Amino acid sequence: MALDCALILILAAALVWPLFQAGYLRNWGSIESTFIADARFLAEHWPHPRWQPLWYCGTRFDYIYPPALRYGAAGIALLLSLRPVEAYHTYAALLFCMGIAAVYLLARVGSGSRAVGWFSAVAAALLSPTFLFLRSFREDSPWMVPPRLWVLVQYGEGPHIASLAWLPLALVLAWIGLRRGRPLALAGAAVAAALVVSHNFYGATALAMLYPVLVWSLWVTLRERRVWLRAALVAGLAYGLTAFWLVPSYVEVTLRNMRLVAQPGNAPSVALLAAASVLFALATNRWARGKAELAWPVFLAGGAALFALTVLGRFAFNFRVMGEPHRLVPELDMLLIVSALEVMRRWWNRPPGLRRLAARTAISAVTVLSFATAGGFLRHAWELYPPERDYEQRVEYRMQQWMARHMPEARALVCGSVRFWYNAWNNLAQVGGGSEQGISHAYLPMAQWEIIQGTDPETAAAWLASLGADAVIVHDRQSQEIYHDFPDPKKFAGALEVLYDDGEGNTIYRVPRRFPAPARVVDRKQVEALRSPRSGDDLAALQAYLAAVEQGPAAPAAIAWHGSDAFSVRAKLEPGQAVLVQVTHDAAWRAYAAGRRLAIRRDPLDFMLVEAPPGEQEIRMVFELPLENIAGRALSTLSALAVLGMALWDVRKRRAASTARTRSPGRAAAPTTS
């Protein structure tokens, strides 16, 4: 089995070999830029920055994305001295190949057939059964490239496909561990499940859907209560291994941000899913109760039906429970492939006779026709990664480079593909971020919508100044930029000063602010009396806020960042004054001056209001490790020790049993298999 996996890895690597060596691709609208920028930032602030000061006026680094891919890409960049873009593509290619080998393991262990394992792996690499049902996916993919690879290359789904690589391993180890009670398999299942979640939440969603089906399929066919206890142990250890970053506030922020990137679920879908689950449980309890040999078919039937309902139902009748169901097409492909091959295996092994001959003839024909559709992909497999030879001429590079040279300390409102790539090369602060994930600032979503989509330049400019932005970058229809988010790109013409115009549809406007630093000395009572904006077009609230912040005491403040998690503010205060820091408020921030801890309040726009004493002050702001993360790290440490202990116990137990059998008089050593 190990040799088979090694050979599959080699063949998969040959299929996607250019991806291992890829730099910048001609795919500037891809969200992969986010993960490249993340890897660069992490490599510069290794081993673990607690705060990300560049995005969303500041947010927790952990909030932005699960950690595994970020650390994988950054680690490769540091270890092999690669550019972040090369390290990201190398990591994505490695996990893609590993995922194909993992499909082999899942199919082989479940079916007990080496041939089924091989056919499943090859089909997962070359075919997509969902093309039969989803015309839009079929027409979007050139040469019938399977979504598993196409979404990785075209849409930047590196974390999702990396998570999908670990999903079959989590399932196959859970299958072995729950059936046989092997501590090593149970521990491995927990580790693999933790890695699924630590790469991507759509992969985690797939695991959350399939794991209960797997547990049920084993319990209903084995009727052993220990299955439930073992399943709970795996789930508990898996969460424990992720607890150092998957803290309660992370879940809260992620669910809130999901509303920005996905449509909400609907009640009929939830009811239909519940009814289908009950029917599946009743039917399998009657059909397969106590029949151990049916465990694998029950799991495949339940998993394939659940994902077919989720994905195909989304297109047929707007089935939606949470998130975007069409993102789970790669998982549906995998389940359909393994399920179809299990059906073929059973038909192929029918008793001799005409029916068996007919079945084998039909299976052979279907197999040949299916793999024939992969001919175009195989002929053009290395053409999927067109390199961008002169990326420095792209607008995404040129805009951020101009800002890095002329306004390196400025915070800017950036949109479209320029926003995606704004931090791929330099540490430049932006009002938004590489993707709409990890936003903890309460007013950013409404502010960004009003600035970009709104029709009133005065309100947009008021929002920009209130958020501490020094510039806004706008692209019109002739720009090379991909998305052209501004419906009226001339909105700021005459309202804001032009800093840069390249004559190619790209303009940088200055936002008027009294002082350049994102900090102000303010009248504390005046700020505390303000109200927060009720909507994006609440100009009155914004004007009142600006009157307090931009027209307050004539006392400039200076900010100096010390790494990613601390900065100092120098200011001179009079009695009744405070320091307003235009960095997103978080309860983990601490302020110190002259050895004293200062109180920090949340201002009406979700920034930090520091109550400092009068006089010349140097305030040190430190983002300290939150208590929930301290508790999470302790739980992760205990879980890791438990996993290690289970693995060592299993290994020692098996060695002792093997030694006892070898030394037993009158008995030969049992043969071993690979």
Side-chain angles (χ1 to χ4, degrees):
M1 196 177 295
L3 290 176
D4 284 352
C5 287
L7 183 55
I8 289 170
L9 283 170
I10 293 171
L11 293 174
L15 182 69
V16 298
W17 181 248
L19 187 58
F20 281 94
Q21 311 168 69
Y24 296 104
L25 304 176
R26 273 180 270 152
N27 189 16
W28 294 92
S30 170
I31 200 67
E32 73 174 22
S33 51
T34 294
F35 314 117
I36 293 167
D38 248 353
R40 184 196 64 79
F41 183 83
L42 178 55
E44 288 184 3
H45 297 87
W46 192 268
H48 186 72
R50 296 191 288 270
W51 189 255
Q52 167 54 283
L54 305 179
W55 289 1
Y56 315 125
C57 301
T59 191
R60 294 191 194 184
F61 183 75
D62 285 346
Y63 281 172
I64 292 173
Y65 214 83
L69 181 132
R70 311 159 89 183
Y71 272 88
I76 289 175
L78 291 171
L79 183 64
L80 302 180
S81 298
L82 297 177
R83 294 180 300 169
V85 62
E86 296 165 335
Y88 166 77
H89 286 142
T90 298
Y91 187 81
L94 282 171
L95 269 292
F96 173 86
C97 297
M98 192 192 86
I100 302 303
V103 171
Y104 163 83
L105 286 174
L106 178 66
R108 173 154 185 187
V109 170
S111 68
S113 168
R114 184 183 186 190
V116 167
W118 265 98
F119 273 109
S120 295
V122 175
L126 301 179
L127 305 179
S128 172
T130 54
F131 283 165
L132 295 170
F133 314 106
L134 301 179
R135 179 180 177 182
S136 59
F137 276 76
R138 184 173 67 249
E139 292 180 346
D140 179 63
S141 179
W143 308 304
M144 303 282 281
V145 177
R148 176 190 284 265
L149 180 59
W150 183 238
V151 298
L152 165 63
V153 176
Q154 181 67 16
Y155 300 111
E157 289 276 3
H160 182 186
I161 302 309
S163 183
L164 177 58
W166 289 101
L167 178 62
L169 287 178
L171 295 173
V172 74
L173 289 169
W175 180 266
I176 296 171
L178 298 184
R179 290 186 74 181
R180 304 175 186 172
R182 291 222 16 216
L184 181 60
L186 293 171
V191 171
L195 285 167
V196 170
V197 178
S198 296
H199 276 90
N200 176 259
F201 276 142
Y202 277 101
T205 299
L207 178 62
M209 295 166 66
L210 288 173
Y211 187 63
V213 177
L214 184 142
V215 175
W216 172 262
S217 68
L218 289 172
W219 179 80
V220 78
T221 55
L222 299 178
R223 306 298 294 180
E224 294 181 6
R225 292 182 181 179
R226 288 176 294 180
V227 168
W228 296 107
L229 296 176
R230 294 165 184 166
L233 175 63
V234 170
L237 288 174
Y239 173 72
L241 293 171
T242 63
F244 69 96
W245 63 271
L246 192 56
V247 295
S249 66
Y250 182 103
V251 176
E252 178 187 356
V253 167
T254 300
L255 291 176
R256 187 169 67 238
N257 283 210
M258 186 175 291
R259 287 177 279 181
L260 304 175
V261 297
Q263 297 181 32
N266 56 72
S269 297
V270 175
L272 178 58
L273 177 61
S277 300
V278 171
L279 287 174
F280 172 74
L282 293 174
T284 52
N285 186 52
R286 183 171 182 176
W287 169 56
R289 182 184 179 93
K291 300 176 182 177
E293 71 279 5
L294 294 181
W296 183 241
V298 169
F299 168 66
L300 290 180
L306 176 58
F307 274 77
L309 172 63
T310 301
V311 177
L312 303 183
R314 148 72 174 84
F315 294 93
F317 46 87
N318 194 33
F319 181 90
R320 188 189 298 272
V321 174
M322 179 181 289
E324 293 295 336
H326 69 274
R327 300 277 293 275
L328 296 173
V329 162
E331 283 84 355
L332 176 58
D333 269 338
M334 179 185 74
L335 289 165
L336 292 179
I337 286 170
V338 177
S339 299
L341 284 165
E342 175 62 16
V343 171
M344 290 180 178
R345 181 185 73 83
R346 288 174 176 268
W347 281 19
W348 188 271
N349 293 330
R350 295 182 67 153
L354 290 177
R355 290 186 177 181
R356 173 165 143 171
L357 178 61
R360 291 191 171 189
T361 302
I363 289 170
S364 300
V366 168
T367 302
V368 171
L369 290 174
S370 297
F371 282 101
T373 64
F377 170 34
L378 287 171
R379 289 193 299 272
H380 301 278
W382 285 15
E383 299 174 27
L384 296 175
Y385 322 98
E388 184 65 73
R389 303 293 184 188
D390 196 5
Y391 67 89
E392 294 182 355
Q393 297 305 310
R394 287 287 313 182
V395 64
E396 292 82 7
Y397 181 85
R398 290 187 290 109
M399 290 296 101
Q400 64 83 37
Q401 194 67 6
W402 191 94
M403 291 294 294
R405 289 174 179 170
H406 298 91
M407 302 177 70
E409 303 299 323
R411 179 183 291 168
L413 188 286
V414 195
C415 60
S417 57
V418 173
R419 169 174 70 94
F420 288 179
W421 292 91
Y422 197 64
N423 297 113
W425 298 279
N426 289 290
N427 291 325
L428 297 170
Q430 55 175 312
V431 171
S435 61
E436 301 300 325
Q437 297 172 106
I439 302 174
S440 56
H441 192 292
Y443 300 99
L444 273 186
M446 73 162 64
Q448 290 188 102
W449 194 97
E450 183 65 32
I451 293 167
I452 297 171
Q453 300 293 327
T455 58
D456 181 22
E458 183 180 6
T459 304
W463 267 118
L464 288 164
S466 298
L467 293 173
D470 302 286
V472 54
I473 303 177
V474 182
H475 314 279
D476 65 21
R477 295 299 171 187
Q478 67 170 321
S479 171
Q480 189 184 42
E481 190 272 323
I482 304 296
Y483 294 103
H484 306 106
D485 287 342
F486 276 90
D488 180 12
K490 300 299 182 184
K491 176 168 63 177
F492 296 113
L496 297 179
E497 175 191 353
V498 175
L499 289 173
Y500 174 74
D501 185 346
D502 65 357
E504 299 176 8
N506 308 293
T507 308
I508 303 176
Y509 295 94
R510 182 191 299 278
V511 178
R513 297 177 66 242
R514 190 176 188 181
F515 303 117
R520 296 288 185 270
V521 176
V522 297
D523 184 283
R524 181 164 59 87
K525 290 186 177 179
Q526 183 183 7
V527 172
E528 290 175 346
L530 296 171
R531 66 173 176 84
S532 300
R534 296 190 179 99
S535 62
D537 59 357
D538 191 349
L539 182 58
L542 294 172
Q543 289 175 333
Y545 185 84
L546 288 175
V549 174
E550 294 296 321
Q551 300 168 28
I559 278 186
W561 279 89
H562 312 294
S564 62
D565 307 330
F567 61 90
S568 58
V569 182
R570 295 182 62 89
K572 182 178 181 180
L573 291 84
E574 301 293 336
Q577 294 178 346
V579 174
L580 175 65
V581 181
Q582 290 172 308
V583 172
T584 303
H585 180 276
D586 191 294
W589 277 107
R590 302 288 183 267
Y592 302 94
R596 289 179 48 204
R597 180 174 167 181
L598 308 179
I600 302 175
R601 301 183 185 275
R602 189 188 302 268
D603 92 329
L605 219 60
D606 221 22
F607 290 133
M608 292 188 286
L609 188 66
V610 183
E611 297 182 3
E616 290 276 358
Q617 299 293 337
E618 179 167 354
I619 304 169
R620 180 168 176 80
M621 304 287 295
V622 180
F623 186 81
E624 298 184 354
L625 187 66
L627 179 61
E628 60 184 351
N629 289 93
I630 295 174
R633 290 185 178 187
L635 181 56
S636 292
T637 301
L638 292 175
S639 299
L641 291 174
V643 164
L644 181 61
M646 290 169 62
L648 292 176
W649 178 41
D650 194 329
V651 170
R652 289 178 180 177
K653 181 180 176 182
R654 289 174 63 82
R655 283 181 177 174
S658 177
T659 301
R661 286 195 302 268
T662 302
R663 294 177 178 176
S664 177
R667 294 181 58 184
T672 60
T673 58
S674 61

